[in-house]
Amino acid sequence: MWVAQAYIERPLLLPGDRKFDIRVWALALESPGTGLQLWLYREGVLRTSSVPYSLEDKDDKFVHLTNHSVQQEHQGFNAHEEGNELMFEEFQLLLDQDQTGWNFKADGWPQIRDAVEHSFRASWELMGSTPRCAYTAFQVFGYDFMIDAAYKVWLIEVNAAPCVTERLRPRFAEQLIRLAIDPVFPHTCHPLLAAEDTTEQQDDLDPAPDFELVYRLTD
């Protein structure tokens, strides 16, 4: 599915007038027992440009495209942030330093959450199994967003095979397994795994605390 939209000419910029986008991850999970569920991972990453933003040269990919595959070709990659990445807490520190009065988690995250839910629901009939599958299936999606100078969050694209930043990957993978795989193949099915399972007790109550359920379809 392709959607065309106007180019965001006035994006919110980082120090050095650099452009960025935001990658977050959603898990679509469908099983006979629970129906369709859409989970959103609460942490994400800002992917940053290596050079100042300008509209003078619209063909300069290093100015306009913040994908790692593009930016890592520039000699300024890693000059501002390690791996040209910022975590949400680091982003908020920059917002506070600039005294913007804008809180990403309070003001920006709800916009992201709504866009993820509504875009998924709008396309589910094209992607979903009909009739509902008799087995467990799941898919991770990468949602990319931008924020404009007026602090409006825009959905840019959705990726079906997204990369997960290395800093978040271990915890993300662990909780993904707990949500999508452990209910089908619990550790208790294998004596060795059950004996070696040293998960903290609080995780038994919430096996995936960094995922939030944003949509459920049981019919």
Side-chain angles (χ1 to χ4, degrees):
M1 179 182 296
W2 298 87
V3 178
Q5 65 186 56
Y7 187 74
I8 301 174
E9 295 186 348
R10 297 185 63 245
L12 184 65
L13 301 176
L14 295 172
D17 293 334
R18 294 175 298 119
K19 187 178 177 180
F20 67 92
D21 72 358
I22 300 173
R23 162 64 60 86
V24 300
W25 301 273
L27 168 67
L29 174 62
E30 187 177 18
S31 68
T34 62
L36 172 67
Q37 298 177 341
L38 182 66
W39 297 82
L40 178 61
Y41 198 66
R42 291 189 174 97
E43 296 297 327
V45 63
L46 277 66
R47 303 180 300 183
T48 66
S49 173
S50 304
V51 297
Y53 175 73
S54 171
L55 288 174
E56 294 182 2
D57 186 355
K58 295 183 175 63
D59 294 325
D60 190 337
K61 63 181 181 180
F62 299 115
V63 170
H64 301 286
L65 301 177
T66 54
N67 309 63
H68 287 338
S69 59
V70 173
Q71 292 297 322
Q72 65 186 5
E73 298 177 4
H74 193 274
Q75 61 183 5
F77 189 71
N78 283 319
H80 300 278
E81 302 91 17
E82 182 180 355
N84 279 42
E85 291 183 342
L86 284 171
M87 299 294 106
F88 287 167
E89 290 185 0
E90 297 169 325
F91 178 43
Q92 188 60 52
L93 286 176
L94 295 177
L95 293 170
D96 294 342
Q97 289 172 8
D98 288 344
Q99 299 182 338
T100 63
W102 194 71
N103 185 281
F104 172 71
K105 279 293 189 179
D107 305 316
W109 187 254
Q111 297 182 60
I112 288 177
R113 189 183 190 278
D114 288 346
V116 169
E117 177 187 354
H118 293 308
S119 62
F120 181 81
R121 293 178 66 177
S123 59
W124 172 248
E125 289 188 3
L126 297 177
M127 300 186 300
S129 56
T130 305
R132 298 303 180 201
C133 64
Y135 52 86
T136 296
F138 67 91
Q139 172 72 53
V140 174
F141 296 96
Y143 282 76
D144 294 340
F145 293 89
M146 285 183 59
I147 305 174
D148 66 20
Y151 299 101
K152 175 177 173 56
V153 177
W154 296 86
L155 174 61
I156 303 301
E157 66 180 43
V158 184
N159 300 274
C163 178
V164 178
T165 178
E166 186 174 349
R167 282 193 273 181
L168 297 177
R169 193 178 304 154
R171 187 170 175 86
F172 177 89
E174 179 182 5
Q175 295 187 25
L176 168 65
I177 291 171
R178 292 181 186 176
L179 274 176
I181 298 177
D182 279 358
V184 183
F185 302 103
H187 285 187
T188 53
C189 292
H190 195 295
L192 181 59
L193 289 176
E196 294 180 351
D197 190 356
T198 58
T199 303
E200 296 181 4
Q201 291 297 319
Q202 60 264 30
D203 285 343
D204 292 337
L205 302 177
D206 190 354
D210 295 330
F211 278 92
E212 60 176 307
L213 183 64
V214 298
Y215 178 62
R216 182 196 300 268
L217 177 64
T218 56
D219 296 333

